[in-house]
Amino acid sequence: MIRIPIASWQKWLRPKRLAAVILGGVITAIGGLLLICYLMGPPPMTNKWSTTFYANDSTILGEQYGNTQKRWIALDEVSPHLIHATILAEDKNFYKHHGFAWKRIFAAALQDIKAGAKVEGASTITQQYAKNLYLTNDKTWTRKFKEAIYSIRLEMFYSKDEILEGYLNTIYYGHGMYGIQAASDYYMDKDPGSLTAAEAALLAGIPKGPSYYSPFQNKELADERQEYIYGLLQNEGYITEPESLPAVSLSTEQERETVRRAGYFQDYITDELADVLEMDEDQAATAGYHVYTTMDSDQQLKLETQIADTIPADTELQTGAIAIDPDTGAITAMVGGTDYKASTYNRATTSKRMPGSAFKPFVYYTALKNGFTPMTQLRSEETTFELPDGGEYAPGNFHGYYANDEITMVEAIAMSDNIYAVKTNLMVGAEKIAADAKKLGITSELQAVPSLALGTSPVSVEEMGVAYSRIANGGKQVESYTIEKIVDRNGKTIYTHKPQKIKSKLDKKRLFVLTDLMTGMFDDSLSSYMRVTGASIKDQLSRPYAGKSGTTTTDSWMVGFSPDLVTAVWTGYDNNRSMEKVKELAYSKEIWAGFMEAAHQGEPIKAFRPPAGVRGMFVDPDSGFLSTSYCEKRRFTYFVRGTEPKLYCRPDLDEFPLQSDQEEPMNRRKRWFDWLF
């Protein structure tokens, strides 16, 4: 064992030598730390960048920075009053130190030692900037050490003006406002370059404690701190104007509630952005992405305008509307309520309401797959259905109107006959209808009960838009989406929308027949014991459309499409209040008709094109026979080939109508649904 002589220890413990050793160690540590910081290079001036949304024509839809619409502004765009006030309030020796205020640090350290914990702050602007960019707010020594590293790197590689500019663009001013541009807009409704000394004093005082010094949360404390900072500006000679603090005009509540352009749409995009990138919304909104979306700016404006022109501003009635390209599933326009300022709740995507008769096309699609044709006849009359469990179900038609006779499917869907729909439901099976509705895009739970045919299971507007899109495109399994492409801040494309290649299990031919049936709601020639449900808006329409309306005591729907565009509209009250005014029930149709016509303005008129295996012919919609000159009504109707009528309409020869394929008469056949009942 080696023993060091006591004299040697004593030699090193001499005060001068010990001080030299300690000083050498400190210098070596500082030098090593600086070398490490230098080798690490300059840290980015911000870890948050505005994420920009673009419409489908590449025009900017909006910029998001967390919860704030934000623009990075240069230091020379900021009022000198605000710059002086911020430095005096936060770090008066900012331009003299190298990132650390040592006197303040030592004083704070003594307080921390006495308290036995990290309680006292002594941060410079550089340190605050470092903390805001890279660290949490935890009061720990580990966090303070990391803060010091970042502060050194900032001071090493950036000028004081660059650091101050970064600080002013990222500091939190309360109420979700990051950066002086957002804060100046929010509190003063003006640009930061035009701030007065009094306004600057107020804003400069907020970052020290945003929840304490916001004039909208604690005006007394905010006024006290404003007066203190205003006094500092006077003492330093930055202002010579009145000694008494001038009054400040704060923004009004209306000015603070700035409406985001297409706010509901942007919220939806933000959600989808977070989903496709698998990150939280705040990260997605502050990562500097360029997000290219499906939004058609022209359609969005027209939808918003049509809603504003239709629903009175003084009503609590709400709406949800969505427009979709049926070929791709791209959402081209969306409105989630009548006033985004008043409510950001998106009724087009989040709310679920009973669709009423707008659900019936799904019923008739299943029926067409199971032996029905457009000419299948069922009796429309007041009916009480006996249920398997012994109960009874007695639906009624609108205002109690019935044909009290047999009607065809083409008439039933045009006039929205409830008895026909429920009979169809019971004949083909509610379970089959629910299964087909799922294939069409309805994701909500559906109750397989007799009333399902009348739309008693709640669904969202978006679901209805997707389902009708699959009808319109012949069964293509599209999904709704809003993001076409995402490009990161370095210009690299990190996401491109790719439609799922799923083999459709839907019947293209019968979907086209259904589409043709759905054009009947606008054909007044089908009116008889009731008018067709689209009669009130048919004169507004200039091209072929297919659709279906739906009404319950609390909900009004209109969903329909052209070959190029599907639009679903719902109106009602958030609290499920009944719509007792007749005009309220008409709003959904008026919005739909006005928007569809505006959206197609200037576009060529397109007809619905039948696929192979479908045959069109003139028929009598009352009798279900092929049309002749003897028939009162005549309508061109499509059938899956092989299911079209074989007999001609001959009122004078009821017992022996002529066959279409041969001249000789034949006995009248008993239709299959006659003996089913």
Side-chain angles (χ1 to χ4, degrees), residues 364 408-417 517-527 529-535 547-549 635:
Y364 295 128
T408 57
M409 183 187 287
V410 69
E411 293 175 312
I413 195 168
M415 292 180 284
S416 200
D417 191 281
L517 288 171
M518 293 167 66
T519 65
M521 74 170 290
F522 308 114
D523 184 355
D524 223 351
S525 71
L526 293 173
S527 298
Y529 61 98
M530 288 191 290
R531 287 199 74 185
V532 293
T533 54
K548 188 72 189 75
S549 58
R635 189 176 195 271

Side-chain angles (χ1 to χ4, degrees), residues 116-137:
K118 182 75 186 73
V119 296
E120 186 70 22
S123 297
T124 62
I125 283 177
T126 305
Q127 288 174 281
Q128 291 182 57
Y129 185 29
K131 182 187 73 173
N132 292 338
L133 286 180
Y134 316 110
L135 305 167
T136 67
N137 289 317

Side-chain angles (χ1 to χ4, degrees), residues 442-464:
I442 299 299
T443 58
S444 296
E445 183 180 354
L446 300 175
Q447 298 294 322
V449 295
S451 64
L452 176 64
L454 306 185
T456 53
S457 291
V459 296
S460 73
V461 174
E462 183 179 10
E463 287 176 84
M464 293 295 282

Side-chain angles (χ1 to χ4, degrees), residues 144-410:
K144 288 298 290 185
F145 178 73
K146 292 179 180 178
E147 179 186 296
I149 296 296
Y150 281 115
S151 298
I152 292 170
R153 292 171 65 197
L154 286 169
E155 290 279 347
M156 185 178 288
F157 291 101
Y158 297 107
S159 69
K160 287 290 188 179
D161 282 353
E162 288 174 319
I163 293 171
L164 182 59
E165 180 179 303
Y167 171 85
L168 289 173
N169 276 284
T170 57
I171 196 69
Y172 184 55
Y173 285 88
H175 300 283
M177 300 296 116
Y178 289 87
I180 187 57
Q181 175 71 63
S184 186
D185 284 340
Y186 184 77
Y187 289 100
M188 307 297 174
D189 191 34
K190 64 193 307 184
D191 287 329
S194 58
L195 292 170
T196 66
E199 292 168 339
L202 178 62
L203 290 180
I206 294 173
K208 184 176 180 65
S211 60
Y212 293 102
Y213 298 116
S214 163
F216 301 129
Q217 287 184 291
N218 196 325
K219 192 170 188 311
E220 185 177 351
L221 282 178
D223 289 346
E224 289 178 5
R225 184 153 174 78
Q226 177 196 24
E227 189 171 358
Y228 166 71
I229 296 173
Y230 191 79
L232 294 178
L233 288 170
Q234 288 179 318
N235 293 340
E236 294 295 324
Y238 290 123
I239 54 174
T240 56
E241 51 227 41
E243 294 185 5
S244 59
L245 181 63
V248 169
S249 177
L250 295 171
S251 62
T252 65
E253 184 176 358
Q254 183 177 3
E255 290 167 338
R256 293 196 297 277
E257 292 177 346
T258 302
V259 182
R260 295 170 62 191
R261 181 186 173 199
Y264 296 106
F265 206 122
Q266 287 200 50
D267 287 348
Y268 188 97
I269 295 168
T270 303
D271 290 341
E272 186 174 335
L273 179 63
D275 286 342
V276 298
L277 297 180
E278 297 182 345
M279 58 176 61
D280 63 45
E281 291 182 19
D282 185 64
Q283 286 178 304
T286 58
Y289 294 123
H290 297 272
V291 184
Y292 295 86
T293 77
T294 61
M295 194 193 87
D296 185 307
S297 298
D298 184 56
Q299 287 187 18
Q300 180 68 30
L301 178 60
K302 286 174 177 175
L303 182 57
E304 292 175 353
T305 301
Q306 186 62 46
I307 289 172
D309 290 346
T310 303
I311 300 178
D314 59 353
T315 180
E316 294 180 0
L317 193 75
Q318 282 293 348
T319 189
I322 195 167
I324 298 177
D325 180 340
D327 190 53
T328 64
I331 299 174
T332 56
M334 177 193 296
V335 173
T338 55
D339 187 351
Y340 185 81
K341 292 186 298 181
S343 171
T344 60
Y345 179 69
N346 194 332
R347 297 158 187 84
T349 61
T350 307
S351 181
K352 293 187 178 184
R353 306 292 290 243
M354 291 189 294
S357 294
F359 189 86
K360 287 177 181 175
F362 313 145
V363 177
Y364 295 128
Y365 169 67
T366 304
L368 290 169
K369 288 173 54 185
N370 287 272
F372 280 61
T373 79
M375 294 297 106
T376 297
Q377 292 182 317
L378 297 176
R379 190 171 181 82
S380 167
E381 62 185 355
E382 189 172 356
T383 307
T384 299
F385 296 92
E386 293 184 4
L387 305 180
D389 61 1
E392 294 182 342
Y393 177 51
N397 276 350
F398 183 67
H399 286 326
Y401 295 146
Y402 303 93
N404 292 313
D405 198 355
E406 290 187 338
I407 62 171
T408 57
M409 183 187 287
V410 69

